[in-house]
Amino acid sequence: DIVAGSVSNGVRTLFAELYTGPPIESTDLEINDESVDVINQRVELSFSRPVLSGNLFKVYKDNDASIISSDSDIIWAIGSDDDAGSCAYHNENRGYRFIDWQDPESHLDNSMKCVEV
């Protein structure tokens, strides 16, 4: 499941059917309280979601789709959004990290946090 956000086009949900290739629009992931803001010259995307939701929950309908597991991760990418709302390819501006969704700050030591210089 993917949550994409841009200042010009707002927030939308998508799903990646393949490991590579463009994501497709999807309404399987329920999100709430979504926003995209520019704070200290950085774009900040925030949202809430149920623990059990999204495409995997639609397919498996059980706790195998929970984001609360030792294998949970967050995948991020930075790219541009055109006027029609299409995501541009992010090139090398991407990454991932494993995360404990019950205590996400525990996975962000000081060297990984964004700070103004």
Side-chain angles (χ1 to χ4, degrees):
D1 294 301
I2 299 168
V3 179
S6 72
V7 175
S8 59
N9 291 312
V11 180
R12 64 187 186 278
T13 56
L14 305 111
F15 178 73
E17 287 187 301
L18 304 169
Y19 182 73
T20 59
I24 59 170
E25 296 285 330
S26 172
T27 58
D28 293 327
L29 180 62
E30 303 165 36
I31 60 171
N32 299 295
D33 304 320
E34 63 272 10
S35 66
V36 179
D37 299 295
V38 177
I39 300 173
N40 295 325
Q41 300 178 336
R42 294 177 186 258
V43 176
E44 179 180 288
L45 167 63
S46 64
F47 60 92
S48 298
R49 63 163 288 179
V51 171
L52 292 172
S53 67
N55 190 274
L56 288 177
F57 183 65
K58 177 183 164 188
V59 171
Y60 295 107
K61 301 271 192 244
D62 62 20
N63 286 339
D64 288 341
S66 174
I67 63 171
I68 298 178
S69 77
S70 60
D71 297 328
S72 289
D73 59 11
I74 185 169
I75 300 170
W76 59 269
I78 302 169
S80 60
D81 219 6
D82 67 19
D83 291 336
S86 295
C87 296
Y89 183 64
H90 48 69
N91 294 312
E92 298 299 316
N93 299 319
R94 64 181 189 263
Y96 76 96
R97 76 176 63 194
F98 291 99
I99 194 160
D100 177 351
W101 287 108
Q102 296 180 74
D103 184 16
E105 289 290 321
S106 67
H107 281 65
L108 300 174
D109 64 31
N110 287 336
S111 67
M112 300 170 109
K113 293 180 182 175
C114 296
V115 295
E116 277 190 61
V117 191

